[in-house]
Amino acid sequence: MNATVDWRIERDAHARLVLTLADGGVHVGVVPMRAFPLSAPDAGVSLVGGDGRELLWIDRLDALPPGPRALLDDELAAREFAPEILRLRAVSTFGTPSTWHVDTDRGETRFVLKGEEDIRRLGEHALLVTDSHGVGYRVRDRFALDRHSRRLLERFL
């Protein structure tokens, strides 16, 4: 269900987001920020001005008309980096620190897990695994992983 909006968002000639509010106020260089980027990515997006103040709150991205939705989706995707682990190939040791060899939605990689506390549960099935450089890797549903991956992961949970 798409709602009508009383504001407009577009890119200017310098690829910055420009927000025009219902009162006619124009804000250049706005930045979309998710309230819950991992647990509820489509719920709660704030459009923030250059001074760090919230200009507009969007309850649900999926309720927006296609144009603004696509523009905000593109901008959020460009700003966020949270690869999803699709498969665990190997771990160097079942203690920490350990080196993980994984397949992600962005390709194959290796990273170091410093400690078991760097694996956080996000709801019932999802996980966030943070490597030694602070990069967060998502596991959408740990039960949907293949058997080998689940076995490796269970050693750390």
Side-chain angles (χ1 to χ4, degrees):
M1 177 173 120
N2 289 336
T4 59
V5 294
D6 59 354
W7 49 271
R8 188 175 76 237
I9 192 156
E10 58 196 357
R11 287 199 190 279
D12 68 8
H14 303 287
R16 297 175 297 188
L17 290 181
V18 179
L19 174 66
T20 305
L21 297 172
D23 67 3
V26 177
H27 303 273
V28 178
V30 297
V31 176
M33 300 180 77
R34 295 184 200 269
F36 308 102
L38 298 170
S39 60
D42 285 339
V45 173
S46 177
L47 297 182
V48 178
D51 61 358
R53 292 184 185 195
E54 182 178 271
L55 301 168
L56 182 71
W57 177 259
I58 301 167
D59 287 324
R60 302 250 353 135
L61 277 176
D62 56 8
L64 293 178
R69 168 73 193 260
L71 189 59
L72 291 173
D73 280 343
D74 288 347
E75 185 70 16
L76 287 163
R79 293 176 37 82
E80 298 170 345
F81 182 76
E84 181 180 352
I85 294 175
L86 304 174
R87 186 177 91 149
L88 280 76
R89 290 177 174 247
V91 295
S92 62
T93 178
F94 292 116
T96 54
S98 62
T99 302
W100 289 34
H101 183 187
V102 300
D103 291 337
T104 74
D105 61 338
R106 298 173 191 241
E108 181 182 340
T109 192
R110 295 174 195 268
F111 61 84
V112 174
L113 180 73
K114 291 188 303 187
E116 292 175 7
E117 65 276 2
D118 292 323
I119 302 175
R120 289 186 28 221
R121 294 178 192 266
L122 301 172
E124 191 174 335
H125 303 288
L127 301 169
L128 178 65
V129 180
T130 306
D131 75 6
S132 61
H133 297 290
V135 175
Y137 294 83
R138 293 177 297 149
V139 175
R140 260 187 224 283
D141 183 350
R142 63 188 174 121
F143 299 110
L145 294 172
D146 64 89
R147 185 176 179 181
H148 175 73
S149 298
R150 286 193 314 269
R151 280 188 162 162
L152 292 175
L153 188 57
E154 285 170 6
R155 299 274 187 119
F156 293 90
L157 297 177

